Amino acid sequence: ILGRVVEAIAAFICSVIATTFDKMGWLGPVNTSCIVLAGTGWCLPGLQLNTAIADLGSHVMVSGTSRLIFAFLIIFEMGFGFALGSKVSDILPAATASLASEVVTATTPTIPISPWLNILWTPIAAISFGVLLGAAPKQFIVIVVSASMASTLSLLSSWLGSDLATVVANAGVIIVGNMYARIFDHPSAVPNCIGSLMLVPSSLGVRSVSTAIISQDVVTALTFTFRCLLTSVCMIIGGFLATMVITPKRAFSFDPRS
């Protein structure tokens, strides 16, 4: 039974820890939303959401509808856990707030971080996802290339707007994966999945649910939800365009133990 709500429990625990640190002031003001999403990143249903949109775009209605409902169910569970953890932290004693005011005597200045720094952590994140997905050692090179392609193209094409940038970035990921499949005679499912994980918008869905519950801001929540769906559609369009450039390989003669 516990396995059915593990996403909600993970979001709840991360939210309690993040908001407690924020109120205690041990590390100064912290962004609880970023901490929770970083701690529960592997639970986010971005892959399920994109697969559902792809199935619906391919007119596979039964599979696409069921996967879409499953993805939104996980999003609602995590958003509820996030919001519940934030509410639980409100029962901390008043002495905690006074202690935080004594520890944090000044507001920590916000230092903007260049988006190009994403290129530095992308290889580490790609290798971590590869280990979690059980990728073969020989695939780690193309996994890093695919993830770096996603991050770099999303930055280089930012002048087109976020939507077209997502189309271009995911098209590049799928093209790299299809080239890898044709040259090395290996399936490109894992490299494509990890490259797409760098672009998935499921965190927007979690933010929309938590915003609706905590702040009662329905307009902002609907904006996050629409952006989540629009980004998924843009990724699927990019994937369809990439398969028109380089078609995926259907049959393989590789040794699965390699």
Side-chain angles (χ1 to χ4, degrees), residues 208-229:
S208 67
V209 176
S210 60
T211 300
I213 297 176
I214 298 175
S215 305
Q216 303 295 320
D217 190 352
V218 180
V219 175
T220 303
L222 291 177
T223 302
F224 277 134
T225 304
F226 178 76
R227 175 56 56 184
C228 176
L229 293 175

Side-chain angles (χ1 to χ4, degrees), residues 3-258:
R4 299 177 182 177
V5 292
V6 63
E7 294 87 2
I9 295 175
F12 171 76
I13 295 175
C14 291
S15 179
V16 171
I17 294 174
T19 51
T20 300
F21 268 79
D22 186 31
K23 286 200 169 186
M24 292 296 291
W26 293 329
L27 301 176
V30 297
N31 190 326
T32 58
S33 177
C34 290
I35 294 176
V36 173
L37 293 177
T40 59
W42 184 244
C43 299
L44 294 173
L47 186 59
Q48 294 92 327
L49 182 62
N50 281 1
T51 304
I53 300 296
D55 287 344
L56 292 175
S58 301
H59 296 176
V60 185
M61 307 307 295
V62 176
S63 175
T65 303
S66 60
R67 286 176 174 172
L68 185 64
I69 294 175
F70 176 70
F72 273 104
L73 178 61
I74 296 178
I75 288 175
F76 274 98
E77 287 181 357
M78 295 185 66
F80 177 78
F82 185 7
L84 183 61
S86 300
K87 294 295 184 181
V88 169
S89 65
D90 292 339
I91 65 176
L92 292 175
T96 303
S98 61
L99 177 62
S101 62
E102 294 177 2
V103 174
V104 184
T105 56
T107 303
T108 303
T110 301
I111 302 176
I113 300 178
S114 173
W116 290 99
L117 291 178
N118 292 338
I119 300 177
L120 298 179
W121 65 260
T122 296
I124 300 175
I127 293 174
S128 301
F129 284 134
V131 173
L132 291 173
L133 290 175
K138 294 181 179 180
Q139 291 183 312
F140 281 110
I141 295 178
V142 69
I143 285 172
V144 173
V145 172
S146 179
S148 301
M149 175 75 71
S151 298
T152 303
L153 287 179
S154 62
L155 292 174
L156 290 177
S157 58
S158 59
W159 58 275
L160 295 174
S162 59
D163 300 331
L164 290 179
T166 303
V167 173
V168 173
N170 199 54
V173 169
I174 302 302
I175 288 176
V176 170
N178 292 344
M179 291 177 60
Y180 165 77
R182 290 191 169 277
I183 294 174
F184 296 97
D185 195 33
H186 278 66
S188 60
V190 174
N192 288 346
C193 287
I194 295 177
S196 299
L197 281 174
M198 300 297 170
L199 305 170
V200 290
S202 55
S203 62
L204 295 175
V206 176
R207 289 183 180 182
S208 67
V209 176
S210 60
T211 300
I213 297 176
I214 298 175
S215 305
Q216 303 295 320
D217 190 352
V218 180
V219 175
T220 303
L222 291 177
T223 302
F224 277 134
T225 304
F226 178 76
R227 175 56 56 184
C228 176
L229 293 175
L230 183 59
T231 304
S232 295
V233 172
C234 290
M235 291 183 63
I236 301 308
I237 293 174
F240 287 159
L241 294 177
T243 56
M244 295 173 62
V245 177
I246 299 181
T247 57
K249 190 172 183 180
R250 301 296 182 182
F252 301 91
S253 59
F254 75 105
D255 184 0
R257 295 172 296 179
S258 62

